Amino acid sequence: MTADQHQPPGAAPGQVEIVGVRGIGEVRPGDDIAALLKDAGLRDGDILVVTSKIVSKAEGRIREAPDRAKAIEDETDRVVARRGDTVISQTRHGFVMAAAGVDASNTDPGTVLLLPEDPDASARRIRAGLAHRVGVIVSDTFGRPWRQGLTDVAIGAAGVTALADFRGAADTHGNPLSATVTALVDEVASAAELVKGKLDGVPVAIVRGLSHLVTEDDGPGVRPLVRPADEDMFRFGSRDVVFARRTIRAFGDRPVDPEAVRRAVAAGIAAPAPHHTTPWRFVLVESAATRMRLVDAMREAWIADLRGDGFTEESIAKRVRRGDVLRDAPYLVVPCLVMEGSHTYRDDRRNAAEREMFVVATGAGVENFLVQLAVEGLGSAWVSSTMFCRPVVREVLDLPQEWDPMGCVAIGHAAAPPRDRAPRDPRDFYVTR
């Protein structure tokens, strides 16, 4: 494939003109935006950039909201980060933006504007109502995590090329381009904002000179610009990352990246521990044969114990079935406690407390490990039953006697999205003195 094949259709423009459309007036629910633009002076090949606020108003996406926070919560699919009253949310459209796009500006007091239900569909409807062959972009304002200031981007599009993919081409020096994908509709939306402004009452702009980006059909809209979750290196904000950890009991066939597990171990050993010790050891069970030997040996030990306790075979089968998550997982890790550096005292009370300190530190390391697995996009389930058959685990994994297995972590890619957490009120779990 040649470099020319990566270019958008047609020749690159020598000049671009951006014209603000004035005189539209206040948009009300039920208004036809295309009809409002019949005298805008559109020409074939133009790109029309429409601020999402007037699209929301025309579509009745106005909500009585004395409490804006509740509207944000209702429009949020996932909280990415919080700081004070600022919430960065992912909407059901897949957009990651401040306040889930809920806007209290340019609307009547006591109301807020929500994003259009389907901005791509909104762009298609506007385009269908226009007499000329144009592209339509619905824009909104986004912040950037690593830069100050806001800019407009496309949240909906129809009839315009969204991306220019230059991967596989070479630059003027012959260097191969491996990651260059240009968000054309975002660039056009940002340029249009220069004439629309935030306070000038100009909600629509015409961008002229980019006819090579205008397509015959409506196209896929902005969906190609929304980064899939498994490609998002910054999916979780620091304040909410702990809540990303979920217990996953059904895994897909996709293999686990061993380096991701090793990075999770690095997070595990960053946990606090008594006496400046390092009480954590992680056994990475990467061999499928070893995993099966371990799971089978633990199962036999569990069954023997349960029979000795007088459980019925039906009850035993039910209890043992809980360990199936270990059998089905493509990767297992056995966290272990070591007491190196612990102190020995004259009485059993203090010696018991010393061990408890090390157990707590190991738990902190395991929690760090589980959270980092979630950051890496991996699901996990911590199964504590190794502690009922420690000698068996040591024998199968050929571990030193002083290594104390503290559970087994099943790891893999979740076969389905996890269920919502059961609601818990933190006030039920603390007292104030």
Side-chain angles (χ1 to χ4, degrees), residues 285-298:
V285 189
E286 297 182 340
S287 162
T290 302
R291 288 199 301 273
M292 289 304 101
R293 284 202 308 274
L294 176 64
V295 172
D296 288 341
M298 288 194 298

Side-chain angles (χ1 to χ4, degrees), residues 397-410:
L397 298 180
D398 191 22
L399 302 181
Q401 184 64 30
E402 61 271 18
W403 286 30
D404 200 352
M406 302 296 286
C408 187
V409 181

